[in-house]
């Protein structure tokens, strides 16, 4: 018998990084199995509904709930009087979940009902009688800021003067927040300028329009512990906050997040409905499910921050930027949520997108009777970029320079430390500018369109560009910006990754699995991700600031590296070599030098487990990025990495109707490195469409505090036929701190579109628009000289 | 909550109009207007909800002597797909292409669109231009009584028509257009798909020597009802469509309409659109 020597099996090197990996949860979603909060039902649950104000600004004289309470099927009816222990909520702790003495906006919550069906709850609301005494409506932030304006938050009757919060002690003016930042000396900057330009820009209300409306299910168990199903984006911080509002131990609060419904920043704050749902469940001693109607979603969700902004900038004849001075008036709405804090991001763009030696930035956020603004993908950056990038074109024109050349001259480079203290350890800005310009043939088209502007015909072509800078390595806002991971391997070498990162649709499960597989040489199918449950997962600060891939990715890699070290040490001992001589690949332990298989990983793991020194492979890791908190002067390197992008928008403007068609978007994004190509393409394309809606069609119309279009008929989202052709390039600047070199880019793709569109319309028609959105009528009016130039004279009251 | 007590789904026209006698009946066809309107509380469902979708007599498109008869239950999709309509009334197909989305077009009916009587309803505009009539049936005694009224007299105000509570709209009849007849429809919305008209315009007539004879013009979303524009028609009648005439007619159109401001547009902008789009459509007709 011939014995043929068995050829050793080798596994060639390969990498998952940069490949196209379908989202792990795609089959579930495509087949409709993934559960929205609507689809979750607990046995014995009641249905909660909220009575909102019928007035925009009024004193509540009396509330009569007796008829509602008497309706069969109604279990609980609550007003502020029934919850004497309610605590003020919100970023500035300036309102109570249930309003007792005063309503300040159309959405205000006056009473709530828990009943056996939604129909009964709705009928009960109709039986509640409220007597109002109207107060003057302050709908314009410019009025609210005037000396002697009626106060939105006067000291309440019987106010505790020593009360810690606005809700308790009131506020002597309508200023909710203010931000003042400076580097350099703008007076000197202006003196050195050859050209100075000043414009006022007006940014409108839009809202997130998540596919799933807001909702919550709350249940207290027999021992008083609370379980919540909630779409929150910050479960661990909110767990603590909810506990505070209920005066209970945070350890007894558990939050489970459905993986679908949508966030985009809208679930970054705690809203009255959530606390009210808890009150109802506590009073009813039954689970309570409270889900918004679509109309309610429009009325009672946060909006993107509307802004009135006057920007003054200068440059020298050779194109060098000299200074920027910014004043903004933020319409805070009736209460303070994250919208008021968008200056944190806005000032970064003004101070650091380009090299600008002198910068001065001021924001006043004022209370009005309008809806209140929250956080929304881009967090103020769409507004700031809209202003800056239009002025970049205006200044380039004023000195006769090509807009691309002007930007290149002032663009940031790797190694730069900005006036605000941001340190650009990897910066592909110049590559973004050049790539987007070349791929779209920008400079030729820009010149041709301008030359053809006055030809006959009602269709004009335009091209415009805009760039952005945004945090790409988390943002150190809270005491920690970290994320924890627990990794365990079973005896078939499958990995369960228990991550603090929440999956709310962004594809984090897939990219985290990919990073772990890359370390451990496993196929994606070997990974199971466990997330979205505060009772199980380690701490994480939340889904925001484009941080999940970067922070949770580094955390997952950290846990995987520890597992690998352990595995290789065991293998080295077993096979009599050093750990350095071994590696993991294709589900096997291999020789690092030539890929020869030493043993199957699953076999090794079982040997380890079922031995006399039984052991499992389980590791933990907590990643904290090396960023710093900003000082009181807003200076400091707040993110571990920064993302860059340039987007070029091409439009066709119909001068007979004002219709602007977006034909093509050419984007170049510095993403550090592409991890899951399919995922990042989806993220960028979705962001472009969101930016397109902001630029062209979406507009929440508020008149005297009343929302005019709380429905999808008159609030116009972009639909499929309007989506432009897209050409997206990725610039791989290989960030030293990023997971496999990657940066976060969740918010980036939405940021430039409106600014680039404004520049494209100006290129097509010679008319520049300073206020959004570019609806046909607004564009038509501007083209026909019906739009007086906006001007807001900054008036900053003494601090 | 509604006072709904009874749901009926008759299978014959006679049974349906018998039921209507009661006066407290809400008619349900495709439900694409009824559902959102009742949900939003803008309309109340009456004591009886009557689904008319099982009545064969209300369906179908047929050539009937010198006219095309379109059953009230014909869906927008069916109109779009009909070879008969494409051949004789191409402007109606064109209109349906701009109507809502596939899902709504599959459910929404012609009868529902007309009975809903929205000033922005789309099918009314080409039908006004084509000189259509609506057929209404009732059963005062034990015999079915039918009457026909011109569509131009059908609309009374937003949501209001001359149909009485005990009548059912059974069909729309459209006389076959004369040879050489041309017609155009333009719908202005802020986006390509799924939009309610900000203004809509229909223009038709028999084209001879660069002029329109028996000219008809209809406008939507500029008044309380879809309307025929008598002054514009008079200005258009028999005029050679050269640049000067087109400019004159477009100016008449602008002056003839008296729209309102609403969330979709201001009156000023609507008048501008009527002017600019009428002009563009006439230029297009002149080149035909
Ligand atoms: C998302 C969306 C988009 C839309 N887009 C458009 C659009 O682009 N253009 C447009 O014109 N409309 C549009 N509509 C409105 C609607 O779809 C149309 O008006 C449709 O044709 C209504 O037909 P229906 O069969 O669904 O009517 P229903 O909702 O069933 O009925 C409408 C009304 O007519 C009455 N009725 C129905 N049939 C008869 C009959 N035979 N006799 C007497 N009374 C009757 C009903 O009682 C009711 O009052 C849209 C609606 C939606 C929801």
């Amino acid at each position: 018998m011939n014995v043929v020597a068995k050829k050793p099996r080798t596994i060639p090197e390969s990498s998952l990084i940069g490949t196209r990996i379908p989202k792990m949860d795609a089959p579930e979603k495509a087949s409709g199995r993934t559960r929205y909060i609507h689809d979750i039902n607990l046995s014995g649950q009641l249905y909660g509904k909220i009575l909102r104000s019928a007035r925009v600004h009024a004193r509540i004289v009396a509330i009569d709930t007796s008829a509602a309470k008497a309706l069969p099927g109604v279990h609980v009816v609550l007003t502020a009087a029934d919850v004497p222990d309610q605590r003020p909520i919100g970023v500035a702790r300036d309102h109570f979940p249930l309003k007792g003495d005063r309503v300040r906006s159309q959405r205000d919550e006056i009473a709530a009902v828990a009943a056996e069906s939604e129909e009964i709850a709705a009928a009960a609301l109709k039986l509640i009688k409220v007597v109002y005494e109207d107060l003057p409506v302050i709908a314009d932030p410019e009025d609210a800021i005037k000396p002697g304006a009626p106060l939105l938050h006067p000291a309440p009757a019987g106010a505790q003067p020593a009360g810690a919060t606005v809700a308790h002690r009131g506020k002597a003016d309508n200023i909710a927040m203010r931000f003042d930042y400076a580097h350099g000396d703008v007076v000197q900057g202006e003196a050195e300028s050859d050209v100075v330009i000043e414009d006022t820009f007006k940014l409108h209300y839009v809202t997130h329009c998540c596919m799933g409306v807001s909702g919550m299910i709350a249940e207290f168990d027999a021992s008083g512990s609370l379980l919540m199903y909630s779409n929150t984006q910050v479960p661990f911080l909110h767990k603590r906050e909810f506990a505070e509002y209920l005066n209970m131990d945070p350890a007894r609060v558990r939050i489970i997040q459905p993986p679908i419904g949508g966030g985009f920043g809208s679930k970054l704050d705690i809203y009255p409905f959530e606390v009210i749902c808890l009150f109802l469940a506590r009073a009813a001693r039954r689970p309570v499910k409270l889900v918004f109607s679509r109309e309610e979603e429009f009325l009672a969700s946060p909006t993107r921050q509307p802004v009135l902004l006057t920007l003054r900038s200068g440059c020298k004849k050779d194109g060098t930027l000299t200074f920027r001075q910014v004043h903004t008036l933020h319409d805070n709405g009736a209460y303070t949520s994250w919208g008021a804090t968008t200056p944190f991001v806005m000032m970064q763009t003004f101070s650091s997108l380009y090299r600008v030696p002198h910068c001065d930035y001021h924001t006043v956020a004022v209370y009005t009777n309008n809806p209140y603004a929250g956080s929304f993908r881009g967090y103020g950056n769409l507004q700031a970029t809209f202003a800056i990038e239009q002025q970049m074109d205006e200044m380039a024109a004023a000195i006769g320079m090509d807009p691309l050349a002007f930007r290149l001259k002032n663009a940031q480079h790797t190694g730069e430390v900005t006036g605000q203290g941001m340190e650009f350890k990897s910066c592909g800005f110049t590559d973004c500018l050049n790539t987007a310009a070349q791929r779209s043939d920008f400079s030729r088209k820009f010149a041709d369109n301008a030359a053809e502007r006055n030809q006959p015909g009602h269709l004009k072509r335009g091209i415009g560009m805009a760039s952005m800078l945004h945090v790409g390595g988390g943002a150190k806002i809270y005491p920690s910006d970290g994320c924890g991971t627990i990794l365990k391997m079973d005896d078939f070498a499958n990995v369960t990754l228990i991550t603090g990162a929440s999956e709310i649709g962004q594809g984090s499960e897939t990219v985290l699995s990919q990073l772990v597989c890359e370390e451990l040489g496993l196929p994606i199918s070997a990974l199971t991700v466990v997330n979205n449950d505060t009772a199980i997962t380690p701490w994480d600060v939340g889904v925001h600031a484009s941080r999940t891939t970067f922070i949770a990715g580094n955390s997952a890699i950290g846990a995987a590296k520890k597992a690998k070290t352990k595995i290789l040490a065991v293998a080295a001992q077993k096979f009599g070599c050093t750990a350095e001589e071994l590696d993991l690949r294709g589900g096997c332990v291999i020789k690092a030098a030539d890929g020869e298989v030493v043993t199957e990983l699953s076999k090794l793991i079982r040997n380890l487990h079922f031995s006399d020194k039984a052991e499992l492979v389980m590791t933990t890791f907590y990643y904290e990025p090396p960023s710093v908190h900003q000082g009181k002067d807003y200076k400091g390197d707040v993110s571990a990495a920064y993302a860059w992008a340039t987007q070029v928008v091409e439009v066709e403007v119909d001068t007979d109707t004002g219709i602007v068609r977006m034909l093509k978007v050419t984007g170049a994004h510095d993403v550090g490195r592409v991890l899951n190509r399919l995922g990042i393409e989806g993220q960028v394309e979705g962001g472009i469409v969101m930016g397109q809606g902001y630029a062209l069609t979406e507009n929440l119309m508020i008149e005297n505090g009343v929302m005019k279009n709380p429905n999808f008929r008159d609030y116009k989202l972009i639909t499929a036929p309007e989506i432009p052709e897209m050409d997206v390039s990725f610039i791989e600047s290989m960030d030293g701190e990023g997971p496999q070199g990657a940066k976060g880019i969740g918010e980036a793709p939405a940021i430039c579109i409106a600014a680039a569109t404004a520049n494209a319309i100006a290129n097509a028609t010679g008319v520049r628009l300073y206020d959004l959105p570019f609806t046909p009528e607004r564009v038509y009016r501007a083209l026909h000289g019906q739009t007086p130039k906006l001007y807001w004279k900054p008036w900053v009251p003494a601090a | 909550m509604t006072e709904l007590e009874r749901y009926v789904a008759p299978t014959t026209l006679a049974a349906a109009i018998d039921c209507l006698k009661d006066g407290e009946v809400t008619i349900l066809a495709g439900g694409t207007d009824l559902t959102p309107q009742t949900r939003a509380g803008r309309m109340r469902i009456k004591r009886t909800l009557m689904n008319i979708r099982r009545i064969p007599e209300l369906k179908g498109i047929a050539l009937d002597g010198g006219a095309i008869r379109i059953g009230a239950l014909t869906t927008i999709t069916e109109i779009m797909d009909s070879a008969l309509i494409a051949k004789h009334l191409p402007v109606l197909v064109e209109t349906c292409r701009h109507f809502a989305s596939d899902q709504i077009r599959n459910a929404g009916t012609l009868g529902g669109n007309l009975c809903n009587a929205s000033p922005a309803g789309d099918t009314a505009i080409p039908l006004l231009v084509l000189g259509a009539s609506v057929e209404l049936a009732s059963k005062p005694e034990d015999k079915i009584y039918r009457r026909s009224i011109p569509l131009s007299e059908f609309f009374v105000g937003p949501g209001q028509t001359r149909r009485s509570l005990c009548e059912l709209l059974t069909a729309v009849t459209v006389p076959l257009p004369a040879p050489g007849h041309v017609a155009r429809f333009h719908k202005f919305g802020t986006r390509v798909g799924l939009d309610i008209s900000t203004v809509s315009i229909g223009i038709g007539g028999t084209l001879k020597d660069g002029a329109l004879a028996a000219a008809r013009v209809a406008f939507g979303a500029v008044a309380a009802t879809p309307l025929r524009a008598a002054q514009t028609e008079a200005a258009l009648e028999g005029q050679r469509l050269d640049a000067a005439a087109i400019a004159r007619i477009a100016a008449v159109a602008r002056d003839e309409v008296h729209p309102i401001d609403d969330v979709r547009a201001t009156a000023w902008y609507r008048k501008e659109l009527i002017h600019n789009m009428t002009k563009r459509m006439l230029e297009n007709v002149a080149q035909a």
Side-chain angles (χ1 to χ4, degrees):
Chain A
M1 199 162 78
N2 278 334
V3 180
V4 181
K6 213 171 148 200
K7 240 176 99 191
R9 185 159 76 98
T10 62
I11 302 176
E13 234 177 299
S14 73
S15 172
L16 287 169
I17 304 302
T19 60
R20 310 176 71 83
I21 303 175
K23 271 186 172 183
M24 292 164 82
D25 58 4
E28 287 290 302
K29 282 183 177 160
S31 58
R33 286 182 170 88
T34 311
R35 289 190 185 90
Y36 286 84
I37 202 149
H38 315 57
D39 304 318
I40 301 169
N41 292 299
L42 305 186
S43 60
Q45 82 191 6
L46 300 175
Y47 297 83
K49 275 205 185 298
I50 292 172
L51 179 74
R52 297 182 186 280
S53 176
R55 307 295 171 85
V56 172
H57 196 193
R59 211 170 63 75
I60 299 175
V61 178
I63 310 174
D64 179 0
T65 58
S66 51
K69 281 184 176 145
L71 189 71
V74 170
H75 284 240
V76 178
V77 181
L78 294 180
T79 65
D82 302 304
V83 197
D85 63 338
Q86 31 170 13
R87 299 193 184 185
I89 67 166
V91 170
R93 298 289 191 268
D94 55 8
H95 62 137
F96 292 100
L98 287 162
K99 277 65 181 173
D101 55 343
R102 203 184 241 252
V103 286
R104 296 177 182 84
S105 73
Q106 193 189 8
R107 57 158 302 156
D108 276 17
E109 299 77 5
I110 293 178
V113 172
E116 267 157 34
S117 74
E118 274 196 85
E119 288 74 17
I120 296 172
L125 290 189
K126 290 208 177 109
L127 297 174
I128 299 174
K129 289 187 201 72
V130 185
V131 181
Y132 301 93
E133 185 185 295
D134 280 323
L135 294 167
V137 173
I138 304 175
D140 186 339
E142 287 189 74
D143 292 339
I145 204 172
K146 282 183 185 141
L151 294 180
L152 263 289
H153 294 270
Q160 303 118 294
T165 70
V166 174
H168 283 117
R169 74 178 133 75
K171 194 139 188 359
D173 57 26
N174 286 328
I175 296 177
M177 273 195 195
R178 49 186 307 154
F179 292 81
D180 301 287
Y181 163 84
H183 74 249
D185 173 4
V186 285
V187 177
Q188 185 197 332
E190 181 148 358
E192 291 167 3
S193 306
D194 295 316
V195 169
V196 173
I197 289 183
E198 186 175 61
D199 298 298
T200 295
F201 301 87
K202 193 173 178 190
L203 292 308
H204 63 311
Y205 285 100
V206 294
T207 185
H208 309 71
C209 300
C210 294
M211 191 84 100
V213 291
S214 303
M216 177 184 274
I217 305 174
E219 176 175 33
F220 289 88
D221 71 11
S223 53
S225 293
L226 170 63
L227 168 64
M228 277 187 281
Y229 292 89
S230 156
N231 282 320
T232 174
Q233 291 178 239
V234 277
F236 288 96
L237 296 177
H238 280 183
K239 181 175 141 129
R240 192 172 155 170
E241 218 175 306
F242 280 124
E244 177 194 327
Y245 299 146
L246 290 168
N247 206 2
M248 66 187 280
D249 175 2
R252 298 176 69 186
V253 177
R254 176 181 181 188
I255 299 181
I256 296 178
Q257 301 155 275
I260 194 166
F264 304 103
S266 63
K267 275 81 176 179
L268 225 57
D269 201 358
I270 288 179
Y271 303 104
F273 86 87
E274 297 171 290
V275 185
I276 289 170
C277 183
L278 302 181
F279 289 160
L280 289 172
R282 186 174 64 177
R285 297 170 182 275
R286 294 262 291 262
V288 171
K289 178 173 181 175
L290 194 157
V291 177
F292 279 4
S293 68
R294 180 55 72 178
E295 186 186 24
E296 205 173 14
E297 180 76 9
F298 275 104
L299 289 170
S301 297
T303 70
R304 192 183 284 287
Q305 178 65 53
V307 174
L308 193 60
L309 185 157
T310 296
L311 172 61
R312 191 172 170 82
S313 316
C315 69
K316 295 182 186 168
K317 274 197 209 100
D318 69 354
T320 314
L321 286 174
T322 46
F323 79 100
R324 264 191 229 295
Q325 188 167 36
V326 193
H327 287 92
T328 89
L329 187 59
H330 278 41
D331 185 343
N332 198 55
Y335 308 108
T336 307
S337 182
W338 294 116
T341 70
T342 49
F344 278 120
V345 172
M346 296 177 75
M347 64 175 76
Q348 293 172 7
T349 293
F350 288 108
S351 74
S352 306
L353 170 60
Y354 295 100
R355 275 174 285 126
V356 46
H358 309 287
C359 179
D360 187 26
Y361 177 100
H362 306 280
T363 285
V364 184
V366 298
Y367 285 118
T368 64
N369 292 115
N370 290 325
Y372 65 92
S375 90
F376 193 164
R377 191 184 199 173
Y379 213 97
N381 209 351
L382 284 77
Q383 296 91 320
T385 302
F386 183 72
I388 282 205
E389 285 294 88
Q390 289 213 61
Q391 275 200 347
M392 289 303 279
D393 266 27
E394 288 182 275
M395 275 191 285
I399 57 168
M401 207 165 164
D402 173 79
L404 172 65
F406 183 54
R407 286 178 172 85
L408 283 167
K409 183 163 177 80
N410 293 289
Q412 299 284 4
H413 298 282
T414 302
E416 214 113 20
V417 180
T418 78
Q420 207 182 341
M422 300 157 84
E423 207 181 318
F424 300 136
K425 281 149 266 178
S426 69
C427 171
F429 189 13
T430 301
D431 285 344
C432 291
L433 280 163
N434 284 323
T435 305
Q438 274 158 23
R439 293 191 66 94
S440 62
D441 198 5
F442 176 82
S443 294
R444 185 188 63 78
K445 286 183 185 164
F446 187 82
D448 287 357
N449 292 332
E452 281 162 27
R453 198 181 284 157
N454 296 320
Q455 298 291 312
H458 60 271
L459 295 179
K460 311 286 180 202
R461 286 278 184 127
I463 190 166
M465 72 161 47
S467 299
M468 72 100 222
L469 149 72
H470 204 78
V471 294
K476 197 149 285 178
I477 308 297
Y478 298 101
S480 164
D481 190 29
C483 174
T485 302
I486 301 169
L487 184 151
K488 73 181 177 91
M489 202 173 243
D490 70 9
D491 21 298
F492 308 98
N494 288 332
V495 168
T496 302
L497 181 74
I498 307 171
T499 173
S502 304
E503 171 67 48
I504 60 166
Q506 75 279 45
S508 65
E509 289 177 356
T510 312
V511 82
L512 296 179
S513 297
Q514 189 186 2
L515 290 168
V516 169
C517 289
E518 188 72 9
E519 291 302 324
L520 299 178
L522 293 171
I524 284 281
S525 57
L527 262 280
T528 300
V529 181
V530 173
N531 51 19
N532 293 21
D533 185 340
T534 58
I536 296 169
T537 72
W539 195 90
D540 173 74
V541 79
V543 196
H544 65 236
S546 308
R547 67 184 284 283
T548 299
T549 296
F550 194 98
I551 308 286
N554 273 333
S555 179
I557 290 176
K561 284 208 161 114
K562 280 166 95 173
K564 183 173 178 176
T565 304
K566 177 164 187 175
I567 293 162
L568 293 186
V570 170
Q573 195 181 28
K574 184 173 163 79
F575 297 103
C577 59
T578 67
E580 289 70 41
E581 288 170 78
L582 300 173
D583 204 347
L584 299 176
R585 198 180 286 170
C588 296
V589 178
I590 52 141
K591 288 190 183 152
D594 57 6
E596 185 188 327
V597 172
V598 176
T599 179
E600 277 177 25
L601 184 56
S602 56
K603 208 164 150 190
L604 180 78
I605 301 280
R606 283 194 295 273
N607 284 340
L608 177 67
H609 184 181
F610 304 114
S611 68
D612 46 2
K613 282 187 278 181
E615 226 186 302
L616 297 176
V617 176
M618 291 190 290
T619 63
T620 66
F621 195 80
Y622 186 73
Y623 174 75
E624 181 67 43
S627 45
V628 301
H629 290 104
Q630 291 178 332
K632 280 210 165 68
D633 57 357
Y634 306 109
K635 289 181 184 165
D637 197 18
V638 72
S639 183
Y642 298 90
W644 302 85
T646 299
Q647 288 174 329
V648 172
V649 167
E650 289 172 69
V651 300
E652 182 184 81
V653 183
D654 184 338
T655 56
D656 279 350
T657 59
I659 290 184
V660 176
R661 276 213 305 143
M662 199 173 281
L663 304 175
K664 187 172 178 187
V665 174
T666 307
H669 287 257
D670 171 6
V671 300
R673 187 171 185 199
V674 176
L675 299 176
N676 181 4
R677 192 168 293 274
L678 206 52
I680 203 165
E681 283 174 0
Q683 192 74 3
V684 171
E685 287 166 6
I688 287 174
V689 175
M690 198 171 246
Q692 184 186 7
Y694 185 60
L696 295 182
T697 61
E698 293 183 47
N699 188 14
L700 208 52
M701 301 176 202
I702 318 286
E703 249 177 60
N704 251 330
V706 177
M707 198 173 287
K708 293 292 174 190
N709 57 339
N711 57 65
F712 281 132
R713 185 188 59 207
D714 294 317
Y715 182 96
K716 303 207 185 283
L717 289 175
I718 296 292
T719 60
E722 293 132 88
I723 295 176
E725 180 190 344
M726 295 179 199
D727 173 295
V728 178
S729 305
F730 298 110
I731 308 297
E732 301 200 302
S733 59
M734 298 300 290
D735 189 81
E737 181 64 23
Q740 296 282 355
K743 305 179 190 181
I745 61 115
E747 296 165 276
I751 291 170
C752 302
I753 298 291
T757 304
N759 287 338
I761 294 172
N763 178 234
T765 65
V767 175
R768 187 164 284 287
L769 284 95
Y770 299 89
D771 51 345
L772 282 173
F774 303 141
T775 53
E777 177 160 359
R778 190 186 304 275
V779 173
Y780 186 85
R781 276 182 184 277
L783 294 180
H784 291 78
Q786 299 274 322
T787 311
K789 179 137 169 43
L790 267 175
Y791 182 65
W792 169 60
K793 186 171 172 6
W795 177 79
V796 183
Chain B
M1 280 205 236
T2 70
E3 300 146 31
L4 179 61
E5 284 173 8
R6 198 159 72 108
Y7 169 78
V8 291
T11 53
T12 65
L13 177 63
I17 44 187
D18 240 353
C19 176
L20 280 180
K21 272 185 201 159
D22 176 28
E24 270 295 297
V25 180
T26 296
I27 299 169
L28 170 72
T32 62
D33 275 319
L34 204 59
T35 312
Q37 284 169 12
T38 47
R39 282 242 173 140
R42 269 177 286 130
M43 194 199 252
R44 180 182 68 90
I45 294 193
K46 296 180 186 158
R47 207 156 49 219
T48 302
L49 179 66
M50 180 168 75
N51 176 0
I52 58 170
R53 277 192 304 241
R54 297 189 190 164
I55 306 172
E57 204 196 311
L58 299 179
K59 296 179 186 167
I61 303 169
L63 194 58
D64 184 1
I68 290 186
R69 187 173 190 281
I70 310 172
L73 272 185
T74 309
T75 64
I76 305 302
T77 302
E78 283 163 355
I79 295 176
M80 239 165 84
D81 293 346
S82 157
L84 201 60
I85 300 220
K87 183 169 169 210
H88 296 289
L89 314 171
V91 69
L92 202 50
V93 176
E94 172 66 14
T95 303
C96 292
R97 284 212 185 95
H98 295 280
F99 193 108
S101 61
D102 278 335
Q103 295 94 322
I104 301 293
R105 287 194 291 253
N106 287 340
T109 65
L110 181 62
N113 194 233
L114 296 178
C115 290
N116 185 57
S118 159
D122 281 329
T123 62
I125 300 305
L127 289 173
L128 282 170
V129 164
L130 292 166
S133 300
V134 293
E135 184 188 286
L136 302 167
S138 57
K139 210 174 154 204
E141 305 292 324
D142 43 304
K143 262 180 62 196
I144 297 180
Y145 169 74
R146 292 172 203 264
R147 64 173 179 140
S148 169
I149 49 176
L151 189 63
S152 55
E153 292 165 23
F154 183 59
F155 301 111
V156 178
Q160 290 173 315
T161 67
R162 291 185 40 201
R163 178 181 73 86
S164 83
L165 285 182
C166 43
E167 284 178 313
L168 194 68
L169 192 149
T170 48
V172 175
T173 51
V174 189
L176 283 181
H181 188 265
V182 294
R184 297 283 185 276
F185 172 78
H186 179 85
K187 170 174 176 171
F188 182 88
T190 50
R191 63 183 176 204
V192 195
L194 254 185
D195 212 348
I196 305 294
S197 296
T198 305
V199 302
S200 57
I201 306 174
I203 296 177
T206 308
L207 188 62
K208 231 169 78 190
D209 305 327
L212 284 181
R216 285 211 187 91
V217 179
F219 294 132
V222 292
T225 65
L227 84 166
R228 285 267 301 273
Q231 292 160 28
T232 311
E233 287 181 359
L236 178 59
E237 184 65 37
Q239 290 291 312
R240 258 195 87 83
L241 293 174
D242 55 29
I246 289 176
R248 211 166 46 239
I249 298 160
V252 172
R254 169 164 43 200
D255 292 342
E256 186 170 11
V257 296
H258 302 284
I260 54 161
D261 292 344
D262 65 16
V263 289
R264 278 166 225 148
T266 63
W268 174 81
Y269 180 58
R270 284 194 160 97
K271 285 168 84 87
E272 289 291 294
L273 288 173
I274 289 287
H275 175 270
N276 296 350
M277 295 304 102
T278 300
K279 179 163 170 279
R280 195 183 281 181
M281 289 165 79
L282 290 175
E283 283 164 359
N284 181 283
V285 169
Q287 281 158 19

